[in-house]
């Protein structure tokens, strides 16, 4: 939003601190956008399931005998008991309360003593299904039955990622690093989505991986696309000769609102997943992958180095911002929007904050 001088001001502090705003986000944004559920390799065999929470709902994704992965609200259609918990494998889904039994497709298969109920027809009863898409082996769900497909939200992202990670179908999670941050999820996402702070705060990243003067972030639908040239690749601490195209590039695709795919030189895929806990807390999951999920010293070292440098550096930044947003002395400042864009511009935050405002204010 522009002020009288034509400057674009950062969002008011209450967007990041007010529990009411977070409630609005849960009912609106989180229920209308594509959200990460699990990796498809966690659902390898028919009957494999993974339970997860989204917007105060418990959900589970499960693999059918037809090979399809479906997602359901984790609630029995009898008298609302929860059906499954954690991860596991099951032949059919049996409710622990009165043993109503569902097929892996969600259809009610059997329910004790219901044959003696006049008019009871099991064919009319089915678990409530949730929109599910598999995106490069990652399972995403959307609670909005009418949501546009991911390819509409994030044009070209799938094809671009396929060209950066040609072996994506062979990848499985090797390591998930869990990073609790005492800040609103939007503070963490904004911090991820600009590199105006990189040179000062991320010496390893800014000098070891990227050439900051070539860094840029541009919207592509509801994706924020990070591109850069890499610094001297002969200085890389690992062998990047993967034999794949784009092995000499760094790139990232942030999928609004809470997921990002990153590819490091050597076609190394890694991911960010923000899980908003409440107005003041978010947990960031950093995912690292390898072929078949087998141990890979390069990936392990990258995960460790990233946790010790960029991630650690960012935690202090975002937590300080969250404290600052609660200060009576804070007046939202102008974003540094350079018409030429580039690394020292916050045009990407401007786009992000427009989406945030739309989500909250409608
Ligand atoms: S609530 Fe599930 S069988 Fe009764
Ligand atoms: Fe950062």
């Amino acid at each position: 939003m522009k002020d009288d001088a034509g400057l674009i001001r950062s969002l008011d502090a209450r967007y990041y601190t007010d529990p009411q705003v977070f409630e609005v986000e849960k009912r609106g944004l989180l229920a209308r956008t594509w959200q990460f559920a699990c990796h498809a390799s966690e659902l390898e065999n028919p009957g494999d399931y993974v339970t997860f929470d989204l917007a105060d709902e418990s959900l589970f994704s499960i693999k059918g005998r037809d090979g399809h992965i479906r997602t359901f609200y984790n609630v029995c259609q009898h008298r609302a008991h929860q059906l499954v918990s954690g991860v596991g494998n099951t032949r059919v889904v049996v409710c622990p309360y009165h043993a109503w039994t569902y097929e892996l497709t969600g259809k009610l298969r059997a329910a004790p003593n219901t044959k003696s109920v006049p008019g009871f027809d099991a064919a009319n009863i089915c678990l409530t299904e949730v929109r599910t898409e598999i995106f490069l082996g990652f399972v995403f769900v959307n609670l909005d039955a009418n949501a546009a497909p991911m390819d509409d939200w994030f044009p070209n992202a799938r094809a671009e990622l396929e060209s950066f990670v040609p072996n994506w179908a062979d990848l499985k999670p090797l390591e998930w690093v869990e990073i609790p941050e005492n800040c609103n999820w939007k503070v963490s996402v904004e911090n991820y989505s600009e590199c105006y702070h990189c040179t000062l705060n991320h010496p390893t990243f800014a000098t070891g991986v990227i050439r900051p003067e070539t860094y840029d972030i541009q919207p592509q639908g509801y994706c924020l696309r990070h591109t850069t040239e890499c610094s001297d690749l002969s200085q890389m601490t690992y062998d990047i000769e993967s034999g794949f195209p784009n092995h000499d590039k760094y790139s990232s695709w942030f999928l609004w609102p809470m997921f990002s795919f990153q590819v490091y030189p050597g076609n190394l895929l890694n991911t960010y997943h923000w899980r908003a806990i409440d107005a003041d807390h978010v947990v960031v999951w950093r995912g690292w992958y390898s072929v078949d999920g087998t141990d890979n010293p390069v990936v392990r070292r990258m995960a460790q180095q990233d946790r010790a440098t960029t991630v650690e550096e960012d935690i202090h930044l975002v937590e300080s911002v969250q404290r600052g947003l609660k200060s009576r002395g804070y007046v939202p400042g102008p974003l540094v929007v350079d018409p030429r864009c580039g690394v020292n511009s916050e045009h990407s935050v401007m786009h992000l904050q427009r989406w945030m405002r739309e989500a909250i204010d409608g």
Side-chain angles (χ1 to χ4, degrees):
M1 224 170 268
K2 288 192 178 175
D3 68 7
D4 295 344
L7 297 172
I8 294 157
R9 296 271 163 190
S10 195
L11 292 184
D12 285 347
R14 68 176 179 86
Y15 284 85
Y16 308 91
T17 58
D18 185 348
Q20 289 298 101
V21 168
F22 185 66
E23 287 305 312
V24 170
E25 288 172 344
K26 273 196 295 194
R27 288 195 303 273
L29 179 72
L30 284 171
R32 282 201 307 262
T33 49
W34 288 99
Q35 298 283 336
F36 171 69
C38 63
H39 193 262
S41 66
E42 295 173 80
L43 304 170
E44 205 149 12
N45 302 306
D48 284 351
Y49 64 86
V50 170
T51 319
F52 59 97
D53 291 334
L54 170 59
D56 289 343
E57 294 279 359
S58 178
L59 304 165
F60 68 102
S61 295
I62 190 163
K63 177 106 153 214
R65 273 174 241 297
D66 55 3
H68 280 292
I69 292 173
R70 298 176 180 83
T71 306
F72 301 101
Y73 287 94
N74 190 6
V75 60
C76 181
Q77 302 298 300
H78 176 220
R79 279 171 48 219
H81 197 281
Q82 191 159 313
L83 294 164
V84 291
S85 59
V87 300
N89 178 277
T90 188
R91 224 168 43 77
V92 284
V93 178
V94 185
C95 178
Y97 201 177
H98 314 94
W100 282 30
T101 302
Y102 300 87
E103 306 282 2
L104 304 182
T105 55
K107 280 163 68 158
L108 183 65
R109 170 199 175 110
N113 199 31
T114 48
K115 288 213 170 59
S116 47
V117 179
F120 185 94
D121 187 358
N124 293 334
I125 297 175
C126 191
L127 299 179
T128 308
E129 195 167 346
V130 172
R131 286 279 298 284
T132 303
E133 273 202 37
I134 317 295
F135 192 92
L136 266 84
F138 290 75
V139 180
F140 284 84
V141 300
N142 196 322
L143 300 186
D144 177 1
N146 300 314
M150 289 182 79
D151 286 336
D152 289 5
W153 281 72
F154 314 115
N156 297 327
R158 193 189 300 256
E160 288 168 354
L161 270 155
E162 280 177 340
S163 79
F164 273 76
V165 194
N167 64 338
W168 63 266
D170 301 329
L171 298 181
K172 291 184 183 172
L174 173 64
E175 198 164 319
W176 288 90
V177 183
E178 189 179 334
I179 308 142
E181 292 177 341
N182 294 315
C183 70
N184 184 270
W185 68 273
K186 297 190 292 302
V187 170
S188 187
V189 163
E190 286 181 9
N191 176 67
Y192 176 82
S193 303
E194 52 96 345
C195 219
Y196 183 39
H197 73 277
C198 290
T199 316
L200 185 60
N201 290 284
H202 300 310
T204 316
F205 182 66
T207 58
V209 184
I210 62 158
R211 285 198 18 230
E213 67 277 16
T214 65
Y215 203 96
D216 200 14
I217 306 175
Q218 290 296 338
Q220 190 171 298
Y222 278 99
C223 168
L224 283 177
R225 185 82 177 80
H226 299 221
T227 50
T228 181
E229 286 173 22
C230 289
S231 58
D232 185 0
L233 288 169
S234 63
Q235 301 298 309
M236 294 296 289
T237 51
Y238 60 95
D239 183 15
I240 62 161
E241 284 301 335
S242 60
F244 295 134
N246 294 316
H247 68 273
D248 54 348
K249 299 209 176 89
Y250 165 90
S251 221
S252 149
W253 295 255
F254 167 77
L255 308 185
W256 166 255
M258 293 181 186
F259 197 87
S260 190
F261 289 102
Q262 284 188 171
V263 183
Y264 283 170
N267 311 78
L268 276 185
L269 177 70
N270 56 92
T271 54
Y272 274 76
H273 175 219
W274 288 265
R275 273 184 207 270
I277 308 298
D278 59 26
D280 301 311
H281 298 90
V282 60
V283 178
V284 188
W285 291 77
R286 287 286 276 127
W288 297 88
Y289 308 86
S290 65
V291 171
D292 289 330
T294 48
D295 207 6
N296 179 323
V298 169
V299 178
R300 291 256 191 228
R301 207 171 57 234
M302 287 301 284
Q304 215 170 23
Q305 182 192 310
D306 172 84
R307 177 67 187 81
T309 58
T310 315
V311 166
E312 185 59 29
E313 290 147 7
D314 278 328
I315 292 175
H316 297 284
L317 300 175
V318 296
E319 295 193 343
S320 173
V321 167
Q322 188 71 19
R323 288 191 296 274
L325 287 165
K326 293 190 170 166
S327 166
R328 291 195 218 182
Y330 175 62
V331 180
L335 295 175
V336 177
V337 180
D338 181 335
R340 296 162 305 164
C341 301
V343 70
N344 286 324
S345 172
E346 294 173 303
H347 55 284
S348 44
V349 177
M350 172 186 76
H351 295 297
L352 208 46
Q353 293 191 349
R354 199 182 64 236
W355 299 339
M356 290 169 176
R357 207 178 265 125
E358 272 169 20
I360 297 159
D361 301 336

